[in-house]
Amino acid sequence: MEEVWQGLVKAFELLGSLDPELLEIVGRSLRISASATLIAAVICIPMGSLIHFNSFPGKRFLINLIQTFYSIPTVVVGLFVFVLFSRAGPLGDFQLMFTPTIMVIGQVILIIPILTGLAISAFSGVDKTIVDTARSLGASGFQTTFAVIREARFAVMAAVILGFGRAISEVGLALMVGGNIKGFTRVITTAISLETSKGDIVLSIALGIVLIFIALVINIALNRIQQR
Amino acid sequence: MSLIETVDLGLRLDGRDILNGINLKIERGDVFAVIGPTGAGKTTLLRLIDLLETPTSGRIYYDGADVTESGRLRFEIRRRMAFVLQKPTVFNMSVYDNIAYGLRWRGKKRADVKKRVNDVLELVNMATYKHRNAKTLSGGEAQRVAIARAIAIEPEVLLLDEPIANLDPLSAQKIEELIQNIFHQYKTTIIMSTHDLPQGRRLAHRIGVMMNGEIVQVGKAEEIFDRPLSRQVAEFVGVENIISGKVAARDGQVSTINLDGQAIEAVAEYAIGEEVFACIRPEDVTLAPTKMTSSARNTLVGEITKMALSGALVQVEINCGFPLVVLVTKKSVEDLNLKMGGRVYASFKASAVHVIRKQ
């Protein structure tokens, strides 16, 4: 107990003194996950609108499939990315293994299902007559889609925030394809995992507090959005 | 050339005819009302005219151009029209932005948008609501925003689907006044649907009666109300006495029609022996306790079988060989001492009888 208490005190000291190593890890985590979320959003919001606004055979099945992948284990995505990008893999020539880039790619793949699925739900929540209203006012196909996205903006934003939350808090994928290289691919979760196993729980606790703080900010943001 | 013309327009969905053989011509500056019972296909017709849906048969022409097939032309033509849906739908943004949306989609300059939106806000009397979120408005206010948004783009054709269907009487009256204002100010061609006959009569120059996916009669309001072409239309426009009979004799313009043993005279030119329906509006019949000498050619005697309040009037049903419904004022009921089971004389002119050939 004593150890934990000391850990907590030191952790706050680290946070208070803005420890360079801590800041670097937090900064990298935010950069990687924010990039992944942004890329996934650019892919998923139009994809979600395409799925929602078009009728095609197997649509229901596709949506079920997407929802199934909401909770895909991060290590499975890690394995998939590893197989693709390892030296012997089909995309091995890009030599992306153990770089921040591959971590972004992995996180994009990880959150595509949840972002797409939640985007589809967001569009389903928009009044059906909005599409007719927009078209009858002379909106083109693109303008109509944009109008619907705009109507669903709060729910879409909530989807994006949830996607970011999933990306920044995962560890299996970052560890497998990032490799937790100090000063290069080490992020909050992999650092906690490593430092704890090394017995240095001070940095782990400090990073854990940062992660919980990020989760808190995400939740507050979500709540505010959902109240609108 | 008509502004809009439909030729044998039809829509078939899931093996069922939603619309069938619609032939309409709408002229520029027309105020045309499609009236008919709920589910007759009025909304679908408006959607086809607004090119939101593609017909499965027939053609549709706009200003002489065939716009039946989808493509660029349909989009361009749709931009010359505006459609206000039955359910007032507003975007989750300010009243101002709602009205500006259609203009922005057309790439209008900021200053022009501002001027136009402010003008329209004045017209619909909602200038003070400018910055309110449109989602917080009442049904009537939202409908006014929807109409304002539609006229902001200065459409050649304004389509209104049941514009007062879900509104309280006061809001409904405001919307009606607004529609009249729009027409007087812009001379916009208006096509509206309604199941409210008096509204159609008040607003429209011409009316098309729609039943079961077909237009069964087109004409001026008086024509439809006074001379319905079929039993269906007569029932819909509120003719309560539709009695089956046969033409027994003819003398020039006047025919004698046998209705269940009672002979009445009507201004109608049908051949003897023809099966017909005689339509008599309840308000065209007068009642008297004794036989009167009047210019009315038909006087029937009967027993009062039913009396019921109908608004400010009393609906009296008399059995004179066939049931005849008559509308009288409450005062008349007292003056004439009308009572259930009492005998009474009912008179009406030969010209008050509208005769329809049985189909």
Side-chain angles (χ1 to χ4, degrees):
Chain A
M1 196 59 215
E2 182 66 20
E3 195 185 0
V4 175
W5 181 246
Q6 276 177 5
L8 258 178
V9 172
K10 282 192 178 167
F12 277 104
E13 277 172 21
L14 273 185
L15 286 170
S17 65
L18 298 174
D19 178 71
E21 192 190 355
L22 179 95
L23 287 185
E24 189 222 286
I25 294 173
V26 171
R28 184 176 305 112
S29 262
L30 289 173
R31 265 199 313 281
I32 289 178
S33 296
S35 311
T37 310
L38 201 69
I39 295 168
V42 169
I43 299 170
C44 297
I45 297 169
M47 191 155 74
S49 76
L50 270 180
I51 295 172
H52 175 71
F53 289 114
N54 290 296
S55 307
F56 52 87
K59 177 172 172 171
R60 195 62 251 164
F61 176 74
L62 179 67
I63 293 173
N64 282 337
L65 196 71
I66 291 169
Q67 286 168 345
T68 308
F69 279 99
Y70 279 11
S71 51
I72 186 170
T74 57
V75 284
V76 175
V77 178
L79 176 68
F80 174 71
V81 176
F82 190 91
V83 169
L84 275 184
F85 286 89
S86 67
R87 242 165 236 288
L91 302 172
D93 289 345
F94 289 105
Q95 299 194 336
L96 288 176
M97 278 310 287
F98 309 118
T99 62
T101 311
I102 194 82
M103 293 168 77
V104 172
I105 294 173
Q107 289 188 358
V108 169
I109 296 171
L110 178 74
I111 64 173
I112 274 180
I114 195 161
L115 248 172
T116 310
L118 292 178
I120 293 171
S121 314
F123 298 137
S124 321
V126 174
D127 195 337
K128 296 267 180 293
T129 50
I130 283 286
V131 174
D132 281 339
T133 304
R135 289 182 67 210
S136 68
L137 282 169
S140 64
F142 179 75
Q143 287 166 334
T144 304
T145 308
F146 191 76
V148 175
I149 294 176
R150 203 176 155 167
E151 281 302 292
R153 61 193 179 273
F154 299 124
V156 168
M157 228 188 297
V160 172
I161 289 174
L162 279 171
F164 176 75
R166 174 132 165 94
I168 201 162
S169 61
E170 72 79 27
V171 56
L173 171 75
L175 211 51
M176 282 174 82
V177 300
N180 192 27
I181 303 165
K182 191 174 181 182
F184 188 49
T185 59
R186 181 165 298 177
V187 289
I188 300 178
T189 52
T190 57
I192 292 177
S193 163
L194 179 82
E195 298 304 317
T196 309
S197 61
K198 270 171 36 187
D200 176 8
I201 64 157
V202 175
L203 185 61
S204 288
I205 292 177
L207 288 168
I209 290 169
V210 174
L211 204 54
I212 290 168
F213 179 72
I214 291 173
L216 184 72
V217 170
I218 287 174
N219 253 306
I220 292 170
L222 258 182
N223 272 325
R224 296 199 68 154
I225 285 168
Q226 277 159 356
Q227 274 161 14
R228 294 180 85 151
Chain B
M1 189 195 307
S2 305
L3 182 59
I4 295 172
E5 185 176 353
T6 70
V7 180
D8 281 331
L9 203 64
L11 184 74
R12 209 177 155 76
L13 273 183
D14 303 325
R16 201 169 73 89
D17 279 324
I18 309 293
L19 289 184
N20 197 10
I22 307 284
N23 291 294
L24 276 181
K25 282 184 179 175
I26 313 280
E27 307 300 331
R28 216 175 265 279
D30 232 349
V31 178
F32 187 86
V34 183
I35 62 170
T38 311
K42 305 186 293 291
T43 302
T44 311
L45 177 61
L46 292 194
R47 291 177 65 87
L48 284 177
I49 293 175
D50 194 39
L51 308 178
L52 286 174
E53 267 170 59
T54 318
T56 45
S57 59
R59 317 296 303 170
I60 177 159
Y61 298 90
Y62 190 97
D63 222 355
D66 187 339
V67 290
T68 316
E69 307 300 329
S70 35
R72 189 80 206 155
L73 185 62
R74 281 171 68 86
F75 174 61
E76 277 164 18
I77 298 295
R78 194 188 306 130
R79 282 205 156 176
R80 286 158 66 178
M81 302 188 266
F83 185 15
V84 178
L85 281 72
Q86 179 173 354
K87 183 180 162 207
T89 307
V90 289
F91 296 98
N92 189 2
M93 50 179 77
S94 70
V95 168
Y96 181 94
D97 286 333
N98 258 279
I99 299 174
Y101 227 164
L103 296 166
R104 287 180 183 147
W105 279 328
R106 283 164 178 74
K108 296 269 186 256
K109 286 201 195 86
R110 208 188 175 90
D112 296 342
V113 172
K114 190 171 173 188
K115 185 175 180 311
R116 181 71 190 149
V117 175
N118 286 332
D119 286 352
V120 174
L121 277 167
E122 288 293 333
L123 178 77
V124 299
N125 208 4
M126 287 193 77
T128 51
Y129 291 75
K130 198 165 157 176
H131 302 296
R132 275 260 299 268
N133 185 313
K135 284 274 182 198
T136 63
L137 301 176
S138 72
E141 290 162 346
Q143 187 67 300
R144 274 193 283 161
V145 170
I147 294 177
R149 193 174 51 195
I151 55 172
I153 60 171
E154 296 177 78
E156 285 174 20
V157 180
L158 177 63
L159 297 141
L160 301 161
D161 190 9
E162 301 265 7
I164 60 156
N166 309 312
L167 303 180
D168 59 276
L170 196 64
S171 305
Q173 196 193 336
K174 278 186 182 170
I175 298 287
E176 272 192 19
E177 282 166 11
L178 177 59
I179 295 169
Q180 276 164 334
N181 268 347
I182 292 167
F183 180 73
H184 287 130
Q185 207 162 328
Y186 302 110
K187 295 281 172 276
T188 311
T189 306
I190 296 175
I191 306 175
M192 57 184 286
S193 76
T194 180
H195 65 265
D196 180 353
L197 292 127
Q199 187 192 40
R201 199 170 190 170
R202 281 193 297 275
L203 296 175
H205 303 159
R206 287 197 309 139
I207 286 176
V209 183
M210 186 158 214
M211 303 224 154
N212 300 322
E214 289 180 38
I215 293 280
V216 289
Q217 188 172 355
V218 178
K220 290 205 165 70
E222 306 78 63
E223 278 171 35
I224 308 272
F225 285 85
D226 299 337
R227 294 188 293 285
L229 281 181
S230 68
R231 188 196 165 111
Q232 262 186 320
V233 177
E235 277 173 354
F236 183 69
V237 298
V239 180
E240 285 182 67
N241 300 301
I242 305 171
I243 308 123
S244 172
K246 203 182 233 180
V247 180
R250 217 182 114 184
D251 178 13
Q253 286 189 322
V254 179
S255 302
T256 304
I257 300 165
N258 214 335
L259 307 170
D260 284 338
Q262 281 279 11
I264 64 161
E265 291 186 346
V267 178
E269 297 179 23
Y270 288 108
I272 293 173
E274 189 132 29
E275 302 261 0
V276 292
F277 288 116
C279 305
I280 306 157
R281 286 198 164 270
E283 58 271 29
D284 289 341
V285 183
T286 48
L287 294 181
T290 53
K291 189 160 183 167
M292 302 178 292
T293 44
S294 77
S295 62
R297 296 182 81 140
N298 297 298
T299 300
L300 305 170
V301 65
E303 189 177 293
I304 297 175
T305 53
K306 211 194 249 176
M307 287 173 81
L309 268 177
S310 167
L313 300 171
V314 180
Q315 205 179 44
V316 181
E317 194 179 299
I318 305 157
N319 181 9
C320 42
F322 53 87
L324 182 70
V325 177
V326 184
L327 271 181
V328 290
T329 59
K330 282 184 198 162
K331 187 160 186 319
S332 302
V333 172
E334 286 168 23
D335 292 351
L336 300 172
N337 195 20
L338 299 179
K339 280 194 195 91
M340 286 288 288
R343 268 170 75 83
V344 70
Y345 287 85
S347 325
F348 50 93
K349 292 180 177 176
S351 60
V353 184
H354 171 62
V355 182
I356 303 170
R357 180 185 283 120
K358 260 192 202 174
Q359 278 147 350

